[in-house]
Amino acid sequence: MINIDKNTFKKDYEKKFIEMHGSELSLASPQSKYETLGALIRDYVVEMWLNTTRRYNENHDKQVYYFSMEFLLGRLLGNTLLNLGIRDVCRDALDELNIDLDSLEDLEQDQGLGNGGLGRLAACFLDSMASLGIPGNGCGIRYKYGFFEQKIIEGSQVEAPDNWLRSGNVWEIRKADKVEVVKFGGEVKVDSFNGRMNFTHINYESVLAVPYDTPVVGYENDVVNTLRLWSAEPISNEFDFSSFSRGEFLKAIEYKNSVEAISQVLYPEDSFYEGKRLRLKQQYFFVSAGVQSIIRHYKNNGGNLKNFDEKVAIHINDTHPTLVIPELMRILMDEEGFSWEDAWRITKNTCAYTNHTILAEALEKWPVDMFKNLLPRIYMIIEEMNRRFCEKLWNKYIGQWDKIHRMAVIADGYVKMAHLAIIGSHSVNGVAKLHSEILKKQEMADFYYYYPRKFNNKTNGITHRRWLLKSNPQLTELLKETIGTSFIKHPMDMESFESYADKEHVQERLYEIKRNNKLKLAEVIKNKQGIIIDPDSIFDVQVKRIHAYKRQLLNALRIMNIYSDLLENPNMDIVPRTFIFAGKAAPGYFLAKKTIELITSIAEKINKDTLIRDKIKVVFLENYNVSLAEDIIPAADLSEQISTTTKEASGTSNMKFMMNGALTMATLDGANIEIRDEVGDDNIFIFGMNEREVLDYYKNGGYNAWEVCNSDSRLRRITNDLINGQYSSDREKFKPLYEHLLTYNDEFFVLKDFDSYIKAHERVDKAYRDKHLWQKMAAINIAHSGIFSSDRTIYEYATAIWGSSFLYKNL
Ligand SMILES: *Cc1c(COP(=O)(O)O)cnc(C)c1O
């Protein structure tokens, strides 16, 4: 925590401004004011950062390295100030200089190096590790272009590059003295010497990995951890760039381009896998650089590699960084002279893996030829791992060839990354109770029976510092007034708010706070899209990646149904609603893009229908990202978490909404189940098929979408509206959605769950009319949200998987 008063801060700021810009503050542009503030805060942080690193090194604390292909950080300024404990001082000081802190914070570009939930989870985890005083580091890729910027043009998604580094990044520090070299291609020369095999990698191409470090500030505890992101650069002596004459010039340019491509752009696929060579290159690039730098640091700090696993924990976030396992094996054996057996023991004890999805289309597997060609030595190591593993399976499962084939790491011409991650880790976890159970029972059953003790659950969480303290200051204030401040360091203490749920004055306050947040969002929507919405309507919100399993289509069909009802009966008695959507579709995901078009067409039609438009409005906000989420979530009355049961591993926006007092419309999927268990059936709206029914249909078939549709006149009407020109003069436009539902038998049971969904919304309507009841339910949700703080999640990882030391015990 920084001890600084307003006047000192003011002086520091003015001094910093002159130092950086050499001109008058009063004439400065907002951007230069923002840059000055960022640089000043970074100066404050750097000293604490050095101290933290020094303490870790002196204590030889066990270090956690969280490897993730994605870190969806969003903006850093506001949360850094909050965690430093100087946001108010800073605001007051800037006020006196006629500078508005909020508008400076808004100038910061989102750091959008992730697709959605998985990347945001990694960001929440960094915040919690630092805030719990856990020696924890992030390791990833510094993509030059983050997740694309979404524009909605004539109702359709158009992708633009996210040039987030355009105006620089005040938070990162390039560490030119900490570069590593990563090797691709070539061959492996094998010889033996004194009875020991030697493997020499030759004729490879070298890539320079340059680290950029970002400070991760803990909440008022003097801890600053590190997020290290790697950037790919050509090695200047690899080719002689000056020698035009030798005809090497074009080759040199080619080399430069192919190297820079590695950290050029984030793949915009969420829960989907494409076997692209560049993606494999990205994975090995950051994994190899990361593991090399961990080992270098460990040795420099006096560590003995024999005890590596006692001092280092490496976490593998989904299968993307799985190559950590063979890379660690390679270094221990080829460079450090360890035997296979010792290297294997150390590697397995060091690594742990989190699975994020059971969607078949998301499981990574690389063609053997591509793999071998790009990473010849790593492939040899995986082959040997596979050989030894299969040998054990043969001895245990005599004659059960099917099973052995199913479990092999290399089979049918592919390297299966999940299998590699499971056998090379000491812990495998799912991200919510149901998900972890399904992994054990279905997707990974063979492995579970083989290694029953490896499997465990760690239900996801969200950092309440960003998703409550920062994004909802008024609600935070109410909590402080009622239950005190202990919940900030101990989020489970929010439970004591439950005793206020019945109190009328608290219900009134909750109502006002929500209304203020809704007014703010209404302003954002007016400015962005020119749509005027009614702050007294129910803000009914579904914001997340657009994906068939998340069923934005179910929500859209419901709105179409209400609209048809209203056309027949404009005086129908319903509470006015504003349907708010946001989310990006993967650029190649045809059905998801069609779903966006459908929603924007429905919005277009409904918002200008003067007959009914005071009753319902539809808004699709473009370019969903962390900052937009921070505006939307505190303003939501209802949170739509309506994925097909079994398909959403956990969900995390469900937790963010709950913590901000929205009620949840939910299927019994992912962490929704745990939210239900916390708040009780009376304080959540549950609908839809259960796990057993869904798994039964997937296993045994028997679902008939036509039958479901034909037996329900509402479904007949709205599916027909998809193709009769109701929402587009081009009748072909939504035919693919119609066919998805009917011709292709509705893979995600949208039609099947429709009736139950409508009925659940009737319960919402009824509950909302009772203002006190609604606020009481909201209060109960807020009170039970503390368990979904990522501080709880990280505490579980640290104690049960990583064996971390803590600088501070906050829980
Ligand atoms: C929390 C979050 C997500 C994850 O949302 P789900 O509804 O859990 O899929 C995705 N994107 C952003 C920007 C988020 O903040």
Side-chain angles (χ1 to χ4, degrees):
M1 196 170 169
I2 291 177
N3 242 324
I4 198 164
D5 61 44
K6 188 176 64 183
N7 286 327
T8 318
F9 189 93
K10 230 167 90 179
K11 281 202 199 99
D12 285 358
Y13 184 82
E14 288 174 309
K15 186 161 156 253
K16 188 81 198 169
F17 186 88
I18 291 172
E19 204 180 291
M20 284 177 67
H21 299 94
S23 59
E24 285 287 333
L25 180 56
S26 57
L27 303 172
S29 70
Q31 180 64 25
S32 59
K33 289 176 187 163
Y34 160 74
E35 281 163 16
T36 304
L37 183 57
L40 177 61
I41 302 307
R42 204 183 72 177
D43 288 352
Y44 289 160
V45 166
V46 161
E47 201 184 303
M48 278 166 45
W49 201 0
L50 285 173
N51 284 334
T52 303
T53 309
R54 195 175 306 128
R55 253 184 305 170
Y56 288 158
N57 290 344
E58 282 167 7
N59 298 346
H60 299 277
D61 289 311
K62 186 165 190 178
Q63 292 287 325
V64 177
Y65 295 90
Y66 196 83
F67 275 65
S68 179
M69 200 124 183
E70 304 187 9
F71 287 93
L72 189 52
L73 297 181
R75 290 178 179 142
L76 296 182
L77 178 56
N79 280 88
T80 302
L81 289 170
L82 182 89
N83 285 7
L84 289 172
I86 59 170
R87 196 148 175 251
D88 292 335
V89 169
C90 171
R91 184 187 301 284
D92 294 346
L94 291 176
D95 259 348
E96 291 187 4
L97 297 166
N98 279 322
I99 299 171
D100 175 40
L101 176 61
D102 291 329
S103 45
L104 290 198
E105 286 181 2
D106 284 345
L107 288 176
E108 183 175 355
Q109 287 284 325
D110 265 51
Q111 190 156 330
L113 308 186
N115 271 282
L118 177 146
R120 184 55 231 174
L121 184 78
C124 285
F125 280 5
L126 293 180
D127 186 67
S128 285
M129 284 194 282
S131 296
L132 295 185
I134 292 169
N137 311 267
C139 181
I141 299 175
R142 180 181 179 270
Y143 301 103
K144 189 167 172 203
Y145 294 93
F147 194 27
F148 69 83
E149 197 184 316
Q150 178 195 54
K151 300 207 190 306
I152 301 295
I153 295 176
E154 290 175 13
S156 303
Q157 168 174 298
V158 175
E159 300 92 21
D162 166 45
N163 188 4
W164 69 288
L165 289 165
R166 192 171 38 228
S167 334
N169 171 10
V170 295
W171 304 111
E172 65 183 14
I173 298 182
R174 180 187 162 95
K175 293 281 172 72
D177 58 336
K178 298 228 158 80
V179 298
E180 298 290 348
V181 174
V182 179
K183 299 169 182 173
F184 293 101
E187 300 102 47
V188 179
K189 211 174 82 211
V190 186
D191 48 38
S192 74
F193 184 75
N194 280 348
R196 196 188 144 88
M197 302 270 270
N198 275 312
F199 300 89
T200 320
H201 193 178
I202 53 171
N203 297 330
Y204 49 80
E205 183 175 278
S206 297
V207 172
L208 196 65
V210 183
Y212 286 73
D213 287 358
T214 297
V216 181
V217 177
Y219 185 78
E220 297 191 355
N221 66 358
D222 290 351
V223 172
V224 181
N225 285 342
T226 303
L227 167 60
R228 174 163 287 181
L229 300 178
W230 296 92
S231 178
E233 293 184 12
I235 296 184
S236 49
N237 61 6
E238 190 82 344
F239 284 95
D240 185 356
F241 281 89
S242 60
S243 63
F244 289 74
S245 54
R246 273 179 278 158
E248 293 276 282
F249 181 69
L250 286 179
K251 235 170 142 185
I253 294 292
E254 218 172 273
Y255 164 69
K256 181 170 181 288
N257 289 342
S258 82
V259 166
E260 284 168 354
I262 296 173
S263 54
Q264 188 79 3
V265 61
L266 166 77
Y267 275 94
E269 304 305 330
D270 189 64
S271 304
F272 187 82
Y273 153 82
E274 259 187 304
K276 288 272 160 56
R277 188 169 181 273
L278 181 59
R279 168 100 174 170
L280 181 58
K281 225 169 162 179
Q282 290 186 328
Q283 295 185 348
Y284 184 66
F285 166 73
F286 93 98
V287 156
S288 175
V291 175
Q292 289 186 66
S293 85
I294 292 168
I295 288 180
R296 191 180 309 281
H297 174 75
Y298 182 75
K299 284 166 68 179
N300 285 344
N301 199 36
N304 183 336
L305 285 172
K306 281 193 186 126
N307 318 322
F308 186 73
D309 52 313
E310 289 164 28
K311 292 291 170 188
V312 172
I314 296 182
H315 207 88
I316 299 172
N317 191 28
D318 212 327
T319 52
H320 322 145
T322 301
L323 296 178
V324 160
I325 292 162
E327 177 66 0
L328 188 52
M329 291 291 289
R330 180 189 71 78
I331 296 173
L332 290 173
M333 294 188 302
D334 296 2
E335 293 179 13
E336 303 290 344
F338 280 82
S339 67
W340 179 280
E341 288 74 17
D342 287 341
W344 183 240
R345 177 184 48 77
I346 293 170
T347 300
K348 220 164 59 169
N349 290 340
T350 302
C351 298
Y353 154 64
T354 297
N355 172 283
H356 282 267
T357 180
I358 60 161
L359 296 179
E361 64 269 30
L363 293 180
E364 291 193 302
K365 52 178 201 209
W366 299 102
V368 162
D369 288 341
M370 179 202 288
F371 200 110
K372 226 190 215 158
N373 179 272
L374 190 65
L375 306 168
R377 177 60 184 138
I378 295 297
Y379 183 75
M380 287 172 80
I381 291 170
I382 295 173
E383 234 177 2
E384 179 62 12
M385 283 171 60
N386 184 50
R387 193 188 64 76
R388 289 174 184 241
F389 178 58
C390 289
E391 195 170 272
K392 286 197 181 131
L393 294 179
W394 289 326
N395 292 330
K396 187 170 165 116
Y397 302 122
I398 296 160
Q400 297 184 48
W401 300 107
D402 265 7
K403 190 186 188 88
I404 295 166
H405 180 247
R406 274 203 312 270
M407 294 175 76
V409 176
I410 303 171
D412 306 321
Y414 288 98
V415 180
K416 300 184 171 176
M417 299 297 265
H419 298 191
L420 182 57
I422 295 169
I423 73 170
S425 300
H426 66 279
S427 167
V428 176
N429 73 283
V431 291
K433 283 178 190 162
L434 174 69
H435 170 61
S436 296
E437 283 308 308
I438 292 175
L439 287 181
K440 290 196 291 188
K441 265 195 329 224
Q442 313 252 336
E443 309 305 309
M444 295 179 171
D446 291 332
F447 288 97
Y448 173 58
Y449 290 119
Y450 190 70
Y451 303 115
R453 286 190 318 215
K454 256 191 206 188
F455 285 77
N456 63 89
N457 173 248
K458 297 286 168 283
T459 299
N460 281 167
I462 54 162
T463 167
H464 60 289
R465 287 166 290 275
R466 180 176 294 262
W467 298 108
L468 175 61
L469 306 193
K470 159 91 193 324
S471 65
N472 202 339
Q474 294 187 5
L475 180 56
T476 304
E477 211 40 55
L478 175 62
L479 288 169
K480 285 185 190 165
E481 283 169 31
T482 47
I483 61 171
T485 55
S486 73
F487 76 94
I488 295 174
K489 289 217 167 181
H490 309 271
M492 301 279 254
D493 287 357
M494 288 168 79
E495 250 180 73
S496 52
F497 190 60
E498 183 157 12
S499 62
Y500 292 85
D502 275 321
K503 298 215 177 351
E504 233 167 81
H505 70 280
V506 169
Q507 294 168 357
E508 290 291 337
R509 284 287 301 283
L510 282 173
Y511 174 83
E512 274 166 36
I513 291 165
K514 185 61 78 182
R515 196 162 189 287
N516 290 339
N517 292 334
K518 287 165 81 173
L519 283 170
K520 252 178 73 187
L521 178 62
E523 191 64 24
V524 169
I525 289 173
K526 195 177 103 194
N527 292 337
K528 283 192 188 207
Q529 353 246 126
I531 302 174
I532 310 285
I533 60 176
D534 172 8
D536 294 316
S537 62
I538 299 175
F539 281 20
D540 182 335
V541 182
Q542 187 174 20
V543 290
K544 50 183 76 246
R545 287 300 297 272
I546 312 292
H547 215 298
Y549 84 82
K550 291 179 183 277
R551 299 200 295 189
Q552 281 90 358
L553 187 53
L554 174 59
N555 196 349
L557 291 178
R558 163 181 67 119
I559 299 168
M560 291 162 64
N561 186 56
I562 298 175
Y563 183 51
S564 312
D565 285 345
L566 281 170
L567 288 178
E568 275 175 21
N569 176 12
N571 296 319
M572 189 170 71
D573 181 26
I574 56 167
V575 182
R577 288 216 197 198
T578 304
F579 303 99
I580 297 170
F581 293 87
K584 295 174 187 173
Y589 192 169
F590 179 72
L591 276 184
K593 291 182 131 178
K594 276 285 159 202
T595 305
I596 293 177
E597 289 174 11
L598 177 63
I599 294 165
T600 56
S601 300
I602 295 171
E604 171 83 8
K605 179 103 185 165
I606 288 179
N607 296 349
K608 69 176 187 215
D609 186 332
T610 47
L611 268 179
I612 54 94
R613 75 173 185 178
D614 52 336
K615 289 245 163 74
I616 55 173
K617 281 253 169 103
V618 183
V619 179
F620 189 99
L621 279 159
E622 76 184 359
N623 203 36
Y624 186 54
N625 61 16
V626 171
S627 291
L628 188 57
E630 288 172 40
D631 287 337
I632 295 173
I633 291 168
D637 294 306
L638 192 67
S639 155
E640 296 279 350
Q641 307 299 338
I642 61 176
S643 54
T644 307
T645 296
T646 73
K647 295 291 179 183
E648 187 76 272
S650 163
T652 48
S653 78
N654 45 3
M655 303 168 184
K656 300 168 194 165
F657 281 103
M658 172 199 196
M659 195 175 273
N660 283 276
L663 304 189
T664 313
M665 168 62 61
T667 48
L668 285 176
D669 197 17
N672 298 347
I673 297 172
E674 288 156 75
I675 293 177
R676 193 269 319 256
D677 293 345
E678 280 295 321
V679 302
D681 283 305
D682 291 344
N683 297 299
I684 189 167
F685 303 97
I686 299 290
F687 76 98
M689 296 159 76
N690 63 31
E691 178 206 355
R692 197 176 34 74
E693 292 168 289
V694 171
L695 292 179
D696 186 64
Y697 271 137
Y698 280 130
K699 200 162 151 217
N700 303 319
Y703 179 61
N704 187 329
W706 281 108
E707 223 171 81
V708 177
C709 184
N710 281 328
S711 61
D712 186 329
S713 60
R714 298 164 304 180
L715 284 174
R716 282 202 305 274
R717 182 178 61 182
I718 52 182
T719 50
N720 208 34
D721 281 346
L722 287 172
I723 49 170
N724 68 6
Q726 170 75 325
Y727 294 99
S728 168
S729 53
D730 171 7
R731 291 175 183 221
E732 296 295 307
K733 191 166 179 180
F734 301 122
K735 198 152 175 219
L737 293 171
Y738 177 89
E739 288 179 336
H740 169 74
L741 290 172
L742 292 164
T743 318
Y744 300 107
N745 207 31
D746 184 20
E747 188 184 344
F748 295 101
F749 309 116
V750 168
L751 300 176
K752 178 84 182 171
D753 275 348
F754 179 79
D755 177 62
S756 155
Y757 185 49
I758 299 287
K759 288 193 172 117
H761 271 290
E762 284 163 6
R763 301 199 294 275
V764 169
D765 205 276
K766 188 151 167 271
Y768 197 82
R769 287 169 198 263
D770 183 342
K771 186 169 144 185
H772 289 287
L773 172 68
W774 188 272
Q775 296 308 332
K776 178 183 166 182
M777 293 168 77
I780 291 169
N781 273 268
I782 295 163
H784 286 273
S785 67
I787 197 169
F788 300 109
S789 164
S790 45
D791 287 6
R792 186 269 310 150
T793 315
I794 283 298
Y795 186 82
E796 291 176 0
Y797 276 93
T799 50
I801 299 179
W802 301 331
S804 297
S805 43
F806 290 77
L807 283 185
Y808 298 94
K809 284 219 161 58
N810 278 339
L811 281 167

